[in-house]
Amino acid sequence: MTDVAKKMYAGAPGTTDTLLYTAVAAGGIVRSIHVANTTGTAATLTLGLNAGAALAAANHFLSAVSIPANATYDWSGFQVLDGSGTLRGLQGTASALTVTISGVEL
């Protein structure tokens, strides 16, 4: 089977626990995250991997990371999503952050 590059999420997460992506049965790998804060105030982002039905602290990959006003944040690396695992998130300020998450489906 061939790995498939995928835009896993693009948008503005809610201010409460939001399902962003569900991996295919074989799983996936998060490779990059780009966040843009389009407001004049710092805003926070929390993401959890394999969080099931809730964004519990034990599953946080990024926890209340502060993105400065009118700034961007970039992450690149290798985080594995279990088969049918979920990527969940929330932002601290409504509509402040635009998030793009890219990776590979296995």
Side-chain angles (χ1 to χ4, degrees):
M1 183 193 295
T2 304
D3 296 346
V4 178
K6 174 91 174 179
K7 184 183 299 179
M8 296 174 160
Y9 179 80
T15 56
T16 59
D17 183 353
T18 305
L19 175 64
L20 306 178
Y21 174 77
T22 301
V24 296
I29 301 168
V30 176
R31 295 304 313 260
S32 68
I33 300 170
H34 177 78
V35 183
N37 182 345
T38 60
T39 69
T41 305
T44 60
L45 176 68
T46 298
L47 295 175
L49 295 173
N50 299 310
L55 186 58
N59 302 104
H60 284 186
F61 163 59
L62 299 175
S63 188
V65 172
S66 183
I67 314 300
N70 300 306
T72 60
Y73 170 84
D74 286 290
W75 176 90
S76 63
F78 193 97
Q79 288 291 325
V80 175
L81 279 165
D82 296 336
S84 301
T86 60
L87 178 57
R88 304 182 76 87
L90 62 86
Q91 61 178 303
T93 305
S95 303
L97 304 176
T98 302
V99 179
T100 304
I101 302 172
S102 300
V104 176
E105 291 182 334
L106 305 177

